[in-house]
mmCIF file of all heavy atoms in Angstrom:
data_model
loop_
_atom_site.group_PDB
_atom_site.id
_atom_site.type_symbol
_atom_site.label_atom_id
_atom_site.label_comp_id
_atom_site.label_asym_id
_atom_site.label_seq_id
_atom_site.Cartn_x
_atom_site.Cartn_y
_atom_site.Cartn_z
ATOM 1 N N ILE A 104 16.084 9.679 -2.813
ATOM 2 C CA ILE A 104 15.288 8.896 -3.753
ATOM 3 C C ILE A 104 15.303 9.553 -5.128
ATOM 4 O O ILE A 104 15.034 8.899 -6.124
ATOM 5 C CB ILE A 104 13.849 8.650 -3.259
ATOM 6 C CG1 ILE A 104 13.094 9.949 -2.996
ATOM 7 C CG2 ILE A 104 13.865 7.768 -2.014
ATOM 8 C CD1 ILE A 104 11.611 9.772 -2.675
ATOM 9 N N ASP A 105 15.616 10.853 -5.174
ATOM 10 C CA ASP A 105 15.760 11.543 -6.459
ATOM 11 C C ASP A 105 16.344 12.926 -6.218
ATOM 12 O O ASP A 105 16.540 13.347 -5.071
ATOM 13 C CB ASP A 105 14.424 11.653 -7.188
ATOM 14 C CG ASP A 105 14.596 11.624 -8.706
ATOM 15 O OD1 ASP A 105 15.685 12.000 -9.202
ATOM 16 O OD2 ASP A 105 13.650 11.226 -9.397
ATOM 17 N N VAL A 106 16.617 13.623 -7.327
ATOM 18 C CA VAL A 106 17.169 14.973 -7.289
ATOM 19 C C VAL A 106 16.340 15.848 -8.222
ATOM 20 O O VAL A 106 16.099 15.479 -9.371
ATOM 21 C CB VAL A 106 18.650 14.981 -7.738
ATOM 22 C CG1 VAL A 106 19.206 16.394 -7.768
ATOM 23 C CG2 VAL A 106 19.493 14.085 -6.831
ATOM 24 N N ILE A 107 15.883 16.985 -7.714
ATOM 25 C CA ILE A 107 15.143 17.945 -8.527
ATOM 26 C C ILE A 107 16.097 19.067 -8.919
ATOM 27 O O ILE A 107 16.776 19.640 -8.062
ATOM 28 C CB ILE A 107 13.926 18.502 -7.756
ATOM 29 C CG1 ILE A 107 12.912 17.376 -7.526
ATOM 30 C CG2 ILE A 107 13.300 19.676 -8.511
ATOM 31 C CD1 ILE A 107 11.716 17.765 -6.700
ATOM 32 N N HIS A 108 16.119 19.346 -10.213
ATOM 33 C CA HIS A 108 17.034 20.354 -10.747
ATOM 34 C C HIS A 108 16.505 21.754 -10.473
ATOM 35 O O HIS A 108 15.308 22.011 -10.607
ATOM 36 C CB HIS A 108 17.197 20.183 -12.251
ATOM 37 C CG HIS A 108 17.664 18.823 -12.650
ATOM 38 N ND1 HIS A 108 18.035 18.517 -13.928
ATOM 39 C CD2 HIS A 108 17.828 17.664 -11.954
ATOM 40 C CE1 HIS A 108 18.398 17.249 -14.006
ATOM 41 N NE2 HIS A 108 18.267 16.717 -12.817
ATOM 42 N N LYS A 109 17.411 22.640 -10.100
ATOM 43 C CA LYS A 109 17.102 24.070 -9.996
ATOM 44 C C LYS A 109 17.658 24.741 -11.240
ATOM 45 O O LYS A 109 18.735 24.362 -11.689
ATOM 46 C CB LYS A 109 17.766 24.682 -8.757
ATOM 47 C CG LYS A 109 17.089 24.375 -7.460
ATOM 48 C CD LYS A 109 17.842 25.118 -6.369
ATOM 49 C CE LYS A 109 17.197 25.020 -5.027
ATOM 50 N NZ LYS A 109 17.982 25.738 -4.018
ATOM 51 N N PRO A 110 17.008 25.740 -11.785
ATOM 52 C CA PRO A 110 15.718 26.257 -11.313
ATOM 53 C C PRO A 110 14.593 25.286 -11.654
ATOM 54 O O PRO A 110 14.637 24.602 -12.670
ATOM 55 C CB PRO A 110 15.564 27.569 -12.078
ATOM 56 C CG PRO A 110 16.378 27.393 -13.323
ATOM 57 C CD PRO A 110 17.517 26.476 -12.955
ATOM 58 N N PHE A 111 13.608 25.229 -10.796
ATOM 59 C CA PHE A 111 12.451 24.348 -10.997
ATOM 60 C C PHE A 111 11.265 25.183 -11.463
ATOM 61 O O PHE A 111 11.235 26.396 -11.294
ATOM 62 C CB PHE A 111 12.108 23.599 -9.702
ATOM 63 C CG PHE A 111 11.810 24.518 -8.544
ATOM 64 C CD1 PHE A 111 10.531 25.002 -8.321
ATOM 65 C CD2 PHE A 111 12.820 24.900 -7.676
ATOM 66 C CE1 PHE A 111 10.260 25.858 -7.269
ATOM 67 C CE2 PHE A 111 12.568 25.760 -6.613
ATOM 68 C CZ PHE A 111 11.282 26.239 -6.406
ATOM 69 N N ASP A 112 10.289 24.513 -12.051
ATOM 70 C CA ASP A 112 9.051 25.155 -12.479
ATOM 71 C C ASP A 112 8.061 25.049 -11.315
ATOM 72 O O ASP A 112 7.630 23.950 -10.975
ATOM 73 C CB ASP A 112 8.500 24.457 -13.718
ATOM 74 C CG ASP A 112 7.182 25.037 -14.216
ATOM 75 O OD1 ASP A 112 6.535 25.818 -13.477
ATOM 76 O OD2 ASP A 112 6.789 24.702 -15.345
ATOM 77 N N PRO A 113 7.705 26.180 -10.686
ATOM 78 C CA PRO A 113 6.809 26.116 -9.530
ATOM 79 C C PRO A 113 5.485 25.412 -9.822
ATOM 80 O O PRO A 113 4.952 24.715 -8.952
ATOM 81 C CB PRO A 113 6.560 27.587 -9.170
ATOM 82 C CG PRO A 113 7.700 28.327 -9.764
ATOM 83 C CD PRO A 113 8.112 27.557 -10.987
ATOM 84 N N MET A 114 4.982 25.551 -11.028
ATOM 85 C CA MET A 114 3.694 24.933 -11.363
ATOM 86 C C MET A 114 3.821 23.423 -11.565
ATOM 87 O O MET A 114 2.828 22.706 -11.535
ATOM 88 C CB MET A 114 3.084 25.583 -12.610
ATOM 89 C CG MET A 114 2.777 27.071 -12.424
ATOM 90 S SD MET A 114 1.829 27.461 -10.916
ATOM 91 C CE MET A 114 0.270 26.700 -11.304
ATOM 92 N N GLU A 115 5.037 22.942 -11.770
ATOM 93 C CA GLU A 115 5.263 21.504 -11.971
ATOM 94 C C GLU A 115 5.856 20.817 -10.746
ATOM 95 O O GLU A 115 5.936 19.593 -10.710
ATOM 96 C CB GLU A 115 6.215 21.296 -13.161
ATOM 97 C CG GLU A 115 5.551 21.475 -14.501
ATOM 98 C CD GLU A 115 4.483 20.423 -14.751
ATOM 99 O OE1 GLU A 115 4.736 19.226 -14.515
ATOM 100 O OE2 GLU A 115 3.380 20.797 -15.170
ATOM 101 N N LEU A 116 6.295 21.598 -9.756
ATOM 102 C CA LEU A 116 7.025 21.028 -8.619
ATOM 103 C C LEU A 116 6.217 19.968 -7.876
ATOM 104 O O LEU A 116 6.733 18.885 -7.593
ATOM 105 C CB LEU A 116 7.462 22.149 -7.662
ATOM 106 C CG LEU A 116 8.302 21.713 -6.467
ATOM 107 C CD1 LEU A 116 9.600 21.032 -6.918
ATOM 108 C CD2 LEU A 116 8.619 22.919 -5.578
ATOM 109 N N SER A 117 4.963 20.252 -7.571
ATOM 110 C CA SER A 117 4.139 19.279 -6.840
ATOM 111 C C SER A 117 3.958 17.986 -7.623
ATOM 112 O O SER A 117 4.062 16.893 -7.064
ATOM 113 C CB SER A 117 2.773 19.883 -6.518
ATOM 114 O OG SER A 117 2.918 20.935 -5.605
ATOM 115 N N ALA A 118 3.698 18.120 -8.920
ATOM 116 C CA ALA A 118 3.520 16.933 -9.761
ATOM 117 C C ALA A 118 4.817 16.136 -9.851
ATOM 118 O O ALA A 118 4.802 14.902 -9.816
ATOM 119 C CB ALA A 118 3.050 17.336 -11.156
ATOM 120 N N GLN A 119 5.934 16.849 -9.945
ATOM 121 C CA GLN A 119 7.237 16.183 -10.019
ATOM 122 C C GLN A 119 7.497 15.391 -8.734
ATOM 123 O O GLN A 119 7.897 14.225 -8.786
ATOM 124 C CB GLN A 119 8.321 17.244 -10.226
ATOM 125 C CG GLN A 119 9.670 16.704 -10.567
ATOM 126 C CD GLN A 119 10.661 17.825 -10.896
ATOM 127 O OE1 GLN A 119 10.380 19.012 -10.740
ATOM 128 N NE2 GLN A 119 11.827 17.437 -11.347
ATOM 129 N N ILE A 120 7.243 15.997 -7.589
ATOM 130 C CA ILE A 120 7.444 15.308 -6.312
ATOM 131 C C ILE A 120 6.472 14.134 -6.191
ATOM 132 O O ILE A 120 6.863 13.050 -5.746
ATOM 133 C CB ILE A 120 7.304 16.303 -5.145
ATOM 134 C CG1 ILE A 120 8.524 17.230 -5.125
ATOM 135 C CG2 ILE A 120 7.144 15.572 -3.810
ATOM 136 C CD1 ILE A 120 8.440 18.363 -4.133
ATOM 137 N N SER A 121 5.239 14.311 -6.608
ATOM 138 C CA SER A 121 4.249 13.221 -6.540
ATOM 139 C C SER A 121 4.663 12.046 -7.416
ATOM 140 O O SER A 121 4.492 10.886 -7.022
ATOM 141 C CB SER A 121 2.866 13.732 -6.946
ATOM 142 O OG SER A 121 2.396 14.661 -6.003
ATOM 143 N N ARG A 122 5.228 12.338 -8.603
ATOM 144 C CA ARG A 122 5.703 11.255 -9.487
ATOM 145 C C ARG A 122 6.858 10.504 -8.833
ATOM 146 O O ARG A 122 6.900 9.264 -8.867
ATOM 147 C CB ARG A 122 6.157 11.821 -10.838
ATOM 148 C CG ARG A 122 5.026 12.103 -11.807
ATOM 149 C CD ARG A 122 5.529 12.374 -13.219
ATOM 150 N NE ARG A 122 6.445 13.504 -13.292
ATOM 151 C CZ ARG A 122 6.081 14.776 -13.442
ATOM 152 N NH1 ARG A 122 4.802 15.104 -13.501
ATOM 153 N NH2 ARG A 122 6.981 15.732 -13.525
ATOM 154 N N ILE A 123 7.799 11.230 -8.263
ATOM 155 C CA ILE A 123 8.933 10.590 -7.588
ATOM 156 C C ILE A 123 8.421 9.711 -6.456
ATOM 157 O O ILE A 123 8.847 8.562 -6.290
ATOM 158 C CB ILE A 123 9.923 11.657 -7.068
ATOM 159 C CG1 ILE A 123 10.593 12.388 -8.226
ATOM 160 C CG2 ILE A 123 10.960 11.013 -6.149
ATOM 161 C CD1 ILE A 123 11.334 13.665 -7.822
ATOM 162 N N TRP A 124 7.495 10.240 -5.682
ATOM 163 C CA TRP A 124 6.917 9.503 -4.544
ATOM 164 C C TRP A 124 6.272 8.201 -5.027
ATOM 165 O O TRP A 124 6.501 7.141 -4.452
ATOM 166 C CB TRP A 124 5.904 10.409 -3.849
ATOM 167 C CG TRP A 124 5.297 9.825 -2.600
ATOM 168 C CD1 TRP A 124 4.103 9.182 -2.498
ATOM 169 C CD2 TRP A 124 5.865 9.818 -1.283
ATOM 170 N NE1 TRP A 124 3.886 8.801 -1.193
ATOM 171 C CE2 TRP A 124 4.943 9.181 -0.436
ATOM 172 C CE3 TRP A 124 7.055 10.303 -0.751
ATOM 173 C CZ2 TRP A 124 5.181 9.006 0.936
ATOM 174 C CZ3 TRP A 124 7.288 10.136 0.613
ATOM 175 C CH2 TRP A 124 6.361 9.491 1.427
ATOM 176 N N ALA A 125 5.472 8.305 -6.074
ATOM 177 C CA ALA A 125 4.774 7.121 -6.599
ATOM 178 C C ALA A 125 5.754 6.095 -7.156
ATOM 179 O O ALA A 125 5.560 4.887 -6.977
ATOM 180 C CB ALA A 125 3.772 7.547 -7.672
ATOM 181 N N GLN A 126 6.807 6.551 -7.830
ATOM 182 C CA GLN A 126 7.798 5.631 -8.396
ATOM 183 C C GLN A 126 8.548 4.875 -7.315
ATOM 184 O O GLN A 126 8.992 3.748 -7.524
ATOM 185 C CB GLN A 126 8.806 6.396 -9.253
ATOM 186 C CG GLN A 126 8.226 6.903 -10.551
ATOM 187 C CD GLN A 126 9.152 7.866 -11.269
ATOM 188 O OE1 GLN A 126 10.212 8.232 -10.776
ATOM 189 N NE2 GLN A 126 8.734 8.300 -12.448
#
Side-chain angles (χ1 to χ4, degrees):
I104 58 173
D105 211 334
V106 177
I107 293 176
H108 304 189
K109 283 183 174 179
F111 58 88
D112 178 346
M114 298 310 293
E115 283 295 314
L116 183 60
S117 293
Q119 191 174 7
I120 288 173
S121 294
R122 279 192 301 273
I123 293 167
W124 184 263
Q126 289 170 356

